[in-house]
């Protein structure tokens, strides 16, 4: 749990965009994962499996909450997951960003839809392989690149506008 707590919280936050709901969804994720251990399939990998559960638990928390939807209120900057200041491990060709660039990317990223945020996070923030990302997002591995291309195109357009 300690090893994956931050990653699970990031996924939950990306979905619910609220620190209290993200913390609740993080705890629910680990409870649900513990109960589902007998059905765990090792070939998917633990992090992708937890990401899949975290996204589902977060959506459930959001549905059950009486809070407004994320687009109805400003994002809580202090508890939001931060973009790494150095290249993401395992991702070839990444470059370091200045603090200003990192802030611009984070702000543009926040304006993306949930699915775009999750596919970008799976591949670039968590460094999952195509197959792991497909498992985490419950999509065919052949569609990961297509989803990622669209999401990064939308991210670039928001950077150009922002």
């Amino acid at each position: 749990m300690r090893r994956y707590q931050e990653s699970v919280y990031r996924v939950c936050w990306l979905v619910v965009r609220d620190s209290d709901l993200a913390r609740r969804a993080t705890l629910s994720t680990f409870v649900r994962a513990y109960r589902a251990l007998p059905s765990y399939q090792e070939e998917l990998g633990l992090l992708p499996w937890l990401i899949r559960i975290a996204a589902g638990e977060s959506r459930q928390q959001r549905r059950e909450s009486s809070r407004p939807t994320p687009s109805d209120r400003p994002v809580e900057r202090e508890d939001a997951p931060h973009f790494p200041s150095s290249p993401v491990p395992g991702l070839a060709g990444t470059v370091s960003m200045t603090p200003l660039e990192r802030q611009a990317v984070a702000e543009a990223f926040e304006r993306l839809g949930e699915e775009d945020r999750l596919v970008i996070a799976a591949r670039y923030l968590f460094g999952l392989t195509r197959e792991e990302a497909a498992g985490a997002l419950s999509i065919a591995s052949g569609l990961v690149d297509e989803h990622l291309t669209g999401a990064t195109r939308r991210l670039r357009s928001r950077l150009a506008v922002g």
Side-chain angles (χ1 to χ4, degrees), residues 3-72:
R3 181 177 181 186
Y4 294 107
Q5 187 171 358
E6 183 180 339
S7 296
V8 168
Y9 175 81
R10 282 179 170 204
V11 170
C12 294
W13 193 91
L14 288 172
V15 174
V16 298
R17 313 279 294 231
D18 177 273
S19 57
D20 291 335
L21 286 178
R23 281 192 282 275
R24 270 191 261 150
T26 298
L27 291 174
S28 296
T29 295
F30 285 110
V31 169
R32 185 169 168 207
Y34 177 76
R35 289 180 180 153
L37 274 175
S39 65
Y40 170 66
Q41 298 171 351
E42 226 174 289
E43 55 276 358
L44 178 59
L46 190 56
L47 181 58
W49 183 65
L50 287 171
I51 288 172
R52 179 189 295 177
I53 294 170
E57 285 297 308
S58 300
R59 289 180 187 113
Q60 184 65 31
Q61 288 286 332
R62 187 178 59 207
R63 277 190 298 272
E64 292 173 359
S65 169
S66 61
R67 297 174 191 224
T69 59
S71 60
D72 294 342

Side-chain angles (χ1 to χ4, degrees), residues 10 84-94 121-129:
R10 282 179 170 204
S85 57
S86 59
V88 177
L91 185 62
T94 58
R123 290 290 279 146
Y124 297 135
L125 297 180
F126 300 119
L128 299 182
T129 66

Side-chain angles (χ1 to χ4, degrees), residues 62-132:
R62 187 178 59 207
R63 277 190 298 272
E64 292 173 359
S65 169
S66 61
R67 297 174 191 224
T69 59
S71 60
D72 294 342
R73 60 185 161 70
V75 173
E76 302 165 30
R77 305 278 310 160
E78 67 278 354
D79 285 333
H82 300 286
F83 279 82
S85 57
S86 59
V88 177
L91 185 62
T94 58
V95 296
S96 294
M97 292 185 280
T98 67
L100 219 64
E101 291 168 329
R102 196 169 44 258
Q103 180 181 349
V105 170
E107 288 173 2
F109 183 78
E110 289 171 3
R111 292 190 306 267
L112 292 173
E114 175 185 314
E115 291 193 16
D116 287 346
R117 290 191 309 268
L118 288 174
V119 73
I120 290 172
R123 290 290 279 146
Y124 297 135
L125 297 180
F126 300 119
L128 299 182
T129 66
R130 178 183 301 120
E131 291 75 23
E132 291 170 333

